[in-house]
Amino acid sequence: MALVVAGFLAPQAATASAAPRSFSDCMDIAVEHDADVWIAHDACESTSITACYRIFRDEYGRQEWALRACKARDDQRSDASAS
């Protein structure tokens, strides 16, 4: 279990802004803003941007970083569904 948490906290390699983003980008943004790892995990794995944002909002109030995190997670899903 500790290894799973450590994996979320490990810094990600820098990528170009045009690169697809994903669950790990969502997690990175949330954890950088001191979100609890487990709350971030639940939010970043939720089924929609709205569901993701609601999880963060319920815990942390309205936060711009939460919306960015949820959109980052959804960027990858949109790219995958377009293929």
Side-chain angles (χ1 to χ4, degrees), residues 20-41:
R21 294 162 58 164
S22 64
F23 171 84
S24 63
D25 292 314
C26 178
M27 289 294 298
D28 287 345
I29 292 167
V31 172
E32 285 171 8
H33 290 89
D34 298 324
D36 177 86
V37 173
W38 299 114
I39 292 168
H41 182 272

Side-chain angles (χ1 to χ4, degrees), residues 11-17 19:
Q12 299 295 317
T15 58
S17 60

